[in-house]
Amino acid sequence: MSKKSEIEVEGRKLTVSNLDKVLYPEVGFTKGQVIDYYIRIAPMLLPYLKNRPITLKRLPRRRGGLFLL
């Protein structure tokens, strides 16, 4: 069973899991580190993404494998 944690972002509580899961093995970045990075850069990044389409890919098994849109 995955360990779940709750974080708060701009007053919203979010449940996240597997924060220790390595997402980028080449450099060892974990899911928790990636979330922290996006939270830190959000104020600078979000103005450029406003009103723009975005595509998210889900890689259920591993990077470089088959993905879902």
Side-chain angles (χ1 to χ4, degrees):
M1 182 175 213
S2 64
K3 184 174 188 266
K4 294 186 178 185
S5 301
E6 193 172 86
I7 60 173
E8 188 171 328
V9 179
E10 292 194 7
R12 294 182 181 185
K13 291 183 180 183
L14 306 171
T15 302
V16 293
S17 62
N18 299 320
L19 294 178
D20 293 330
K21 180 179 181 179
V22 177
L23 296 182
Y24 298 97
E26 299 87 8
V27 290
F29 290 150
T30 65
K31 183 177 180 181
Q33 290 172 315
V34 172
I35 291 170
D36 179 63
Y37 171 74
Y38 280 119
I39 289 171
R40 290 173 186 260
I41 68 161
M44 284 100 27
L45 179 66
L46 291 177
Y48 292 98
L49 298 178
K50 185 177 180 179
N51 298 321
R52 297 181 67 113
I54 188 168
T55 299
L56 300 176
K57 294 181 180 178
R58 180 171 175 249
L59 303 163
R61 293 198 173 49
R62 61 181 163 81
R63 287 189 28 185
L66 296 174
F67 63 88
L68 308 169
L69 289 177

